[in-house]
Amino acid sequence: MSEHRPGQGPGTNNNSAGPRIAAPPEFPDLPEATIARLPEYLRALHILAEARQDTVSSEGLATAAGVNSAKLRKDLSHLGSYGTRGVGYDVHLLIEQIEHVLGLTQKRAVALVGIGNLGHALAGYGGFASRGFRIAALFDADPKRVGERINSLVVRHIDDLAEVVRQESISIGVITTPASAAQQVADRLVAAGVTSILNFAPCVLCVPDGVDVRKVDLAIELQILSFHEHRKSALTALPGGRSDPHKAVAT
């Protein structure tokens, strides 16, 4: 992740061979579906970079990201990135450009509220730093948790939230509290100036305009998988349906 001089967007190549990735608008207006897929492309690109692969075809990157190549090419065209015929995409330049668009060229400070089992695990996860984020503060309302040290951070009381958010310039909050406390925590985060919230609590949050909320509900994801398992079982039971791979074959 590197900085760029004004007027020179990420991925711009000014040599005589011409640009490998065209300079996009300063901030392209991207479809929501494209925004949701960019982190998948970035994850795949980082894996390629770690394997010392300098270029990748649209088909190869699409396979690594789990999308079709036509969709990937359309997504990247929104960034002004078209690759080079016969060569593909420059892995490092494309990483640079996607990180620029996602705002990952600076370490964004994050506050995590709720140091239960899930919160504790997230607080101890070391992978955020390599993806552009810094867990800057931990909070809980339980006196038994306050003062606990996780990595280099000490859990603060929730009453210190506003002061710490201001000191650390925190704009993103992560809620890992029980559902009953999540809305009150969200209200405190918003009042402190946090404008983006990642909510792990199993509830819907009410926030004012200008505050973005993303919800992660593992139970819902499991229920969706349960539907697919139910459907596969129903198809197996139909005449001519697939055999159950878990049942022994009679001999």
Side-chain angles (χ1 to χ4, degrees):
M1 289 181 278
S2 59
E3 296 180 357
H4 307 278
R5 295 189 298 273
Q8 183 178 359
T12 301
N13 182 354
N14 293 322
N15 63 28
S16 59
R20 288 174 287 174
I21 297 181
E26 182 62 26
F27 198 88
D29 186 14
L30 301 178
E32 285 294 326
T34 296
I35 296 170
R37 287 189 290 267
L38 287 180
E40 293 294 340
Y41 303 153
L42 187 59
R43 175 191 56 78
L45 287 163
H46 274 294
I47 292 173
L48 293 171
E50 289 164 5
R52 301 184 181 279
Q53 184 169 334
D54 295 326
T55 60
V56 62
S57 67
S58 59
E59 291 78 10
L61 181 54
T63 299
V67 303
N68 66 64
S69 58
K71 184 175 293 183
L72 177 138
R73 286 192 294 269
K74 183 175 181 180
D75 287 341
L76 297 184
S77 71
H78 288 296
L79 310 184
S81 180
Y82 301 94
T84 303
R85 185 180 297 276
V87 177
Y89 295 96
D90 183 301
V91 169
H92 298 283
L93 286 174
L94 196 50
I95 286 174
E96 188 177 286
Q97 190 165 26
I98 293 175
E99 287 183 342
H100 173 76
V101 170
L102 292 178
L104 301 179
T105 53
Q106 57 178 306
K107 283 284 191 293
R108 293 196 177 272
V110 177
L112 194 156
V113 184
I115 312 301
N117 291 334
L118 177 58
H120 200 286
L122 291 175
Y125 175 58
F128 293 123
S130 64
R131 292 299 184 262
F133 300 93
R134 174 175 66 90
I135 302 297
L138 308 174
F139 299 95
D140 205 288
D142 185 351
K144 296 179 181 178
R145 292 287 186 186
V146 175
E148 180 180 352
R149 180 176 291 275
I150 303 175
N151 291 338
S152 61
L153 293 175
V154 174
V155 179
R156 306 281 295 268
H157 194 276
I158 188 66
D159 288 345
D160 297 334
L161 179 67
E163 178 186 355
V164 177
V165 164
R166 183 177 64 256
Q167 290 175 346
E168 297 289 340
S169 300
I170 293 170
S171 61
I172 300 175
V174 178
I175 298 177
T176 53
T177 66
S180 58
Q183 183 61 58
Q184 183 180 5
V185 169
D187 293 342
R188 284 191 175 220
L189 286 169
V190 171
V194 169
T195 52
S196 293
I197 295 173
L198 181 61
N199 179 32
F200 283 88
C203 64
V204 176
L205 299 178
C206 295
V207 297
D209 292 340
V211 176
D212 294 296
V213 176
R214 298 284 296 179
K215 183 179 180 182
V216 181
D217 192 321
L218 299 180
I220 286 178
E221 299 303 323
L222 287 171
Q223 288 166 349
I224 293 171
L225 288 175
S226 177
F227 162 80
H228 290 295
E229 287 300 309
H230 190 190
R231 181 178 62 178
K232 284 183 281 189
S233 297
L235 290 173
T236 301
L238 292 174
R242 296 169 298 177
S243 61
D244 188 343
H246 299 292
K247 292 181 179 179
V249 178
T251 56

